[in-house]
Amino acid sequence: MTSYKENATLESCFRPGSTLCAGCMEAIAFQNVGRVTDNGVKTVFTIGTSCAEVSSLAFPNVVAWGRGDAPPDDFARSFSILHNVFESAPTLAEAVRDVADSLRDHGALSAPVQVVATSGDGGALAIGLRALLHTIHRRTRVTIMVLVNEIFANTGFQYSPATTPFASTSTTPAGAASPGNMMPPLDYVHLAIAAGAGLVAQLSPAHGKLFQKTMERSLVCEGTAVVFVPAPCITGWKFDDGQTVEIATLGARCGVFPAFVWERGKGGAVKDCPLDAADRPALEEFLGTQRRFNHLVRRDPVTGGFAVREGSEEVVARFRDWTQANVERMYRLAELK
Amino acid sequence: MSTIERPVLPLAHEPTPSGEIYPDAIDLERVRAAHVDQFTQREQVTVDGNTAAALAVLQMWRCLIYPGFPITPSTKWIETIASKIADEPRTKKKVKLLEAEHAVADYLVGAAAACRDLIFPTATSSVGLDHMTETTRSLGASGLGNVMLIDVYRATANFPLCIEGDPSDTLAHRDDGFIQICTRGKQQIYDTILQAPCLGMHPEVLTPTMPGYYGIKDSHRSARLTVEADKAIHAFQDGWIQPCPLPGLINGDTAFGNCVTSKHFQGFKLSQRRRMENVLRVLPAVGADFEKHFGRPGLAFFDEVGWPEHGSVDIAVVGMGPDFGTFEALRESFEQYAGLQVAGLAMRLLTPFPSEAVRRRLEKAQVVLVVNQAHHYGRGHLTLDVVDALSTLPHPPRVVSAFAGLGGADVSEATWERMLEQARAGEDGRHVEPAAFFHEGRPL
């Protein structure tokens, strides 16, 4: 394993030039994963249509991918990326994995190849859930990184199966007759474990060292490694730039998307998110940072803190119940072997 | 730059329009050497069409992985390959069963882009092809000529579901961007599949291929087939398939499948069209070389029957598929009975449609009978292409359009005779419907 400091000196395959929103968690995740993959192994990324794709691979703009300022002489540092439709990233990665393995099996390729698939939660959990689960089910030796911003950001911030309860999205808007999204999110962490993944994590670069270590482990996982990256979306969640990592940290600590790492045969752990709600930051502190929850909380002009809006007490109480159930669920999943 | 010592694998590399290529990263000779022959000499076998198609791809050393998903009537293609591989412990070829046709198409993108010097075939039918559509259109524009999608024709739609073979599936995908070649008979199926990658992977073409044959009629019925020795096939294909000039994901440093702004979209589509147009030049050369190697007709725009040297006929018939053979069988007797000269074209190349060659062949016909076997709200897919091909003639022949054999129904002798009577009426200058349906010898 590379130390955190050493990793910071590596060269990311995600380079300047993307048109992602400044401070977007996707860019932060790509920067970090990009450095982890600078490990002496030829790297291939696959990417389904998403914000990340249209913002980093749009001709004639700069292609924001590649290692180094010039094509590397060292083949192991060369980098390729393939885009296809929303749901395709896991299957594309599986195909690359199979071809590389077949060539190595024939003695036709001496260098190892590592493959990373990236999707949004719309691509992986809505239109592409079938592709995701079957690639996992076939124990494909790839890392799948799902950037969970809880909305279809690329098409205008519509509800996704990962949307947090009571969030206002463009297709589940909060209004006088509706408190926002009424559906609990899909239990995608459990689904990935049940489908047969070798490593499953819910983790963002807000937990920097753990994120790096987990991504390194994912690249040498014998089966499929799936890392769900909670990805606060500046435009969709409606917060000010500069708050991305803070919100990602708060969301994990208060129990909305607890940091979680699990490996088959070893079990797992919830990190930085106590089981007892009293030991966690108040839910209102997380909700108050984003205007998608503006219908539930407001800033108290006296204390400066966030308070539940009058009339929303029952909804926020249900939100708290869901959050507690969510944390308990993650603790139970951690016990699986 | 990294401060950490890493193992270095220095390889020569060179720029291409699509990124850097490391030509020595993959040693394809190892793949060729590992191939286990299916046949060491020319042999006669009796097989159905799906088996003929399976044998052809098994004999190619560039085919290592066979992705697929079963659907009637194409299923036996993947079953045959799985069975042959299961019986051969020396081979490293693999069948890859995906969870749905869409995944197969996505897999083809990933695999073909990973190594552009290998060939990745699959077979499907009907709504299976429809389910792939989102990605077949990516593939069609991809430049991945090393993808071969074998379409075993079957009527589309599930209301009503019909598992027999009409070409409505392939004709609904005319604009996906594949080179579409219709075949009839086991030998033509086998021979066409052997030639298709030579065409698709040609550096001036770089376009995926979609050879097809009629479900049930050709996929499930058996006949004699001459198979060639694997080594002879390799010698033929290696003469055409050179190392891809563009990088793959594994032997390259490249970005593939980028999105573009509308300003640049035009250029991409124009390039795609020009590569497709090059098919009209490359295909006859591949076909002629195949004939030189194996002594059988190779790829052609169409099969011709009954054409006099001067090219003038009273009735020219344009059709496709195995039912055209029934017309061939009764053509002379109809000529004698009607006192007319009758000739025909069985279309092979559907996309790009060889308009100029069709025009040259049909320009001296009095009337052209076009037989369509797929549902269409106009005069028929094939009719529209033929009419378009003839449209630049100052005095184009009259075109009589017929529908027959929908849902894979046999086009019987009686039906052919009734359609020829319709053409004869057109030749006499009598009124005929713009498009008429025929079944079991009667107009509907």
Side-chain angles (χ1 to χ4, degrees):
Chain A
M1 294 287 174
T2 310
S3 76
Y4 196 51
K5 279 185 181 172
E6 283 174 331
N7 185 67
T9 68
L10 298 180
E11 193 149 27
S12 180
C13 59
F14 187 68
R15 295 175 56 76
S18 92
T19 54
L20 286 163
C21 300
C24 172
M25 179 56 89
E26 297 193 354
I28 299 169
F30 288 149
Q31 283 285 357
N32 280 269
V33 174
R35 273 194 286 274
V36 171
T37 58
D38 187 14
N39 57 358
V41 179
K42 160 86 190 194
T43 306
V44 178
F45 268 48
T46 66
I47 185 166
T49 306
S50 56
C51 272
E53 189 271 326
V54 300
S55 302
S56 66
L57 280 172
F59 184 86
N61 296 345
V62 172
V63 170
W65 297 92
R67 192 109 55 203
D69 293 330
D73 291 329
D74 180 2
F75 174 72
R77 302 190 76 237
S78 67
F79 172 87
S80 293
I81 185 165
L82 169 66
H83 159 251
N84 193 30
V85 295
F86 284 96
E87 62 270 48
S88 66
T91 318
L92 299 175
E94 184 171 356
V96 176
R97 172 84 278 148
D98 286 351
V99 173
D101 286 350
S102 180
L103 288 170
R104 283 175 65 78
D105 195 28
H106 282 82
L109 176 68
S110 56
V113 176
Q114 59 192 2
V115 188
V116 179
T118 67
S119 304
D121 51 307
L125 304 176
I127 195 170
L129 183 62
R130 180 172 73 189
L132 174 72
L133 293 182
H134 282 281
T135 293
I136 297 170
H137 175 60
R138 290 187 288 264
R139 290 4 182 217
T140 310
R141 200 160 47 82
V142 298
T143 294
I144 300 175
M145 187 168 71
V146 182
L147 297 147
V148 185
N149 56 21
E150 304 184 9
I151 37 176
F152 299 164
N154 190 36
T155 50
F157 318 112
Q158 296 86 15
Y159 156 88
S160 99
T163 302
T164 292
F166 310 114
S168 181
T169 75
S170 61
T171 51
T172 58
S178 170
N181 168 44
M182 299 291 281
M183 292 291 293
L186 193 66
D187 189 354
Y188 45 82
V189 170
H190 197 176
L191 280 175
I193 293 172
L199 181 153
V200 181
Q202 177 170 265
L203 195 61
S204 83
H207 291 79
K209 289 182 182 176
L210 183 59
F211 185 76
Q212 179 204 319
K213 193 173 149 195
T214 303
M215 294 312 300
E216 285 181 336
R217 287 219 302 273
S218 81
L219 293 173
V220 295
C221 179
E222 281 304 307
T224 313
V226 191
V227 181
F228 298 98
V229 181
C233 169
I234 293 168
T235 317
W237 292 17
K238 302 180 178 66
F239 58 86
D240 297 330
D241 60 6
Q243 290 185 291
T244 308
V245 172
E246 179 191 339
I247 290 174
T249 307
L250 202 49
R253 286 182 175 160
C254 79
V256 174
F257 37 78
F260 172 87
V261 182
W262 178 92
E263 285 187 73
R264 186 162 299 279
K266 298 179 184 171
V270 176
K271 308 279 189 180
D272 202 20
C273 180
L275 187 58
D276 188 339
D279 297 330
R280 303 196 299 261
L283 183 60
E284 293 91 319
E285 295 304 310
F286 172 70
L287 304 183
T289 57
Q290 308 144 61
R291 293 192 294 283
R292 65 174 175 154
F293 295 117
N294 219 13
H295 56 298
L296 301 181
V297 294
R298 62 175 177 79
R299 190 178 285 278
D300 187 313
V302 180
T303 65
F306 294 104
V308 177
R309 280 187 190 278
E310 199 173 328
S312 293
E313 295 85 352
E314 187 196 336
V315 172
V316 173
R318 285 162 62 194
F319 203 149
R320 279 199 195 89
D321 290 345
W322 172 81
T323 304
Q324 182 59 27
N326 189 43
V327 174
E328 291 171 6
R329 177 180 63 90
M330 299 304 287
Y331 271 85
R332 284 197 301 275
L333 290 178
E335 291 172 7
L336 295 174
K337 296 285 187 187
Chain B
M1 289 293 293
S2 167
T3 59
I4 301 171
E5 291 289 325
R6 299 286 184 198
V8 174
L9 184 63
L11 278 181
H13 53 96
E14 53 201 53
T16 78
S18 299
E20 209 72 0
I21 190 167
Y22 297 74
D24 300 327
I26 298 172
D27 182 2
L28 287 172
E29 283 305 315
R30 300 285 189 108
V31 178
R32 187 209 303 267
H35 178 83
V36 179
D37 288 347
Q38 294 286 322
F39 297 97
T40 54
Q41 60 183 14
R42 176 178 287 191
E43 285 184 35
Q44 295 275 328
V45 295
T46 300
V47 294
D48 61 29
N50 282 331
T51 304
L55 290 176
V57 293
L58 278 163
Q59 290 185 270
M60 299 179 196
W61 69 263
R62 286 181 175 81
C63 286
L64 299 184
I65 302 174
Y66 302 87
F69 186 77
I71 180 170
T72 304
S74 69
T75 304
K76 196 178 174 189
W77 179 85
I78 194 83
E79 289 175 340
T80 302
I81 292 168
S83 164
K84 294 278 185 189
I85 289 175
D87 283 343
E88 178 47 84
R90 294 172 298 164
T91 191
K92 293 177 177 174
K93 293 174 185 274
K94 287 189 173 131
V95 165
K96 181 77 181 186
L97 289 171
L98 280 298
E99 71 274 14
E101 289 90 349
H102 194 300
V104 173
D106 289 340
Y107 190 91
L108 288 171
V109 172
C115 182
R116 302 184 73 158
D117 296 310
L118 297 175
I119 298 166
F120 296 93
T122 192
T124 192
S125 298
S126 183
V127 288
L129 178 59
D130 290 346
H131 189 40
M132 292 180 172
T133 304
E134 187 184 28
T135 285
T136 55
R137 290 178 183 165
S138 298
L139 279 166
S142 68
L144 295 171
N146 54 337
V147 166
M148 177 161 50
L149 199 166
I150 299 165
D151 181 19
V152 186
Y153 301 161
R154 170 183 145 186
T156 50
N158 273 332
F159 294 161
L161 189 153
C162 177
I163 62 164
E164 294 172 69
D166 82 21
S168 52
D169 51 4
T170 204
L171 292 171
H173 291 263
R174 292 291 299 278
D175 296 315
D176 285 10
F178 281 65
I179 302 164
Q180 292 174 293
I181 306 168
C182 177
T183 66
R184 56 192 183 117
K186 321 312 162 201
Q187 195 67 56
Q188 209 173 68
I189 292 169
Y190 176 80
D191 291 349
T192 298
I193 288 172
L194 294 181
Q195 296 168 83
C198 305
L199 179 60
M201 295 170 77
H202 190 281
E204 293 175 33
V205 175
L206 294 179
T207 300
T209 56
M210 190 188 291
Y213 47 92
Y214 280 58
I216 310 299
K217 286 173 183 169
D218 262 335
S219 66
H220 281 56
R221 292 177 188 159
S222 295
R224 296 283 290 277
L225 170 72
T226 299
V227 290
E228 302 295 340
D230 290 31
K231 292 212 167 24
I233 292 166
H234 299 172
F236 166 70
Q237 291 192 331
D238 291 349
W240 284 95
I241 303 174
Q242 301 297 314
C244 184
L246 300 174
L249 301 171
I250 292 174
N251 73 345
D253 189 273
T254 186
F256 198 106
N258 308 47
C259 60
V260 298
T261 59
S262 59
K263 178 181 176 185
H264 295 274
F265 188 72
Q266 325 302 317
F268 275 83
K269 299 318 278 186
L270 193 59
S271 168
Q272 182 182 341
R273 186 186 178 100
R274 285 184 177 150
R275 292 201 310 276
M276 184 66 95
E277 286 168 353
N278 288 338
V279 170
L280 299 172
R281 193 163 44 76
V282 177
L283 181 145
V286 173
D289 192 47
F290 182 88
E291 185 162 2
K292 205 163 87 182
H293 270 78
F294 301 112
R296 294 189 299 277
L299 288 177
F301 297 147
F302 38 66
D303 298 336
E304 303 181 46
V305 56
W307 289 88
E309 207 166 298
H310 53 70
S312 297
V313 295
D314 298 301
I315 298 174
V317 174
V318 180
M320 57 190 273
D323 290 298
F324 192 83
T326 307
F327 160 72
E328 286 183 271
L330 60 77
R331 185 187 65 82
E332 285 185 18
S333 61
F334 185 83
E335 277 188 329
Q336 287 166 11
Y337 154 76
L340 299 171
Q341 188 142 27
V342 182
L345 300 182
M347 292 307 303
R348 301 282 319 282
L349 184 63
L350 303 177
T351 306
F353 194 76
S355 298
E356 191 181 332
V358 167
R359 179 169 58 250
R360 280 205 309 270
R361 188 74 277 183
L362 298 178
E363 64 186 350
K364 292 181 182 172
Q366 292 298 308
V367 65
V368 177
L369 168 67
V370 186
V371 178
N372 297 279
Q373 293 181 280
H375 173 72
H376 186 260
Y377 283 110
R379 296 184 71 195
H381 303 83
L382 209 47
T383 300
L384 295 188
D385 278 323
V386 169
V387 168
D388 182 58
L390 298 174
S391 64
T392 55
L393 292 172
H395 302 289
R398 185 173 188 183
V399 174
V400 172
S401 194
F403 286 89
L406 301 187
D410 281 338
V411 184
S412 65
E413 285 193 16
T415 299
W416 274 108
E417 286 166 357
R418 189 65 192 80
M419 290 192 294
L420 286 165
E421 285 295 344
Q422 181 91 342
R424 192 178 175 196
E427 198 266 342
D428 287 347
R430 284 178 273 160
H431 171 75
V432 293
E433 294 296 324
F437 283 71
F438 297 90
H439 185 58
E440 295 182 350
R442 290 182 298 127
L444 300 180

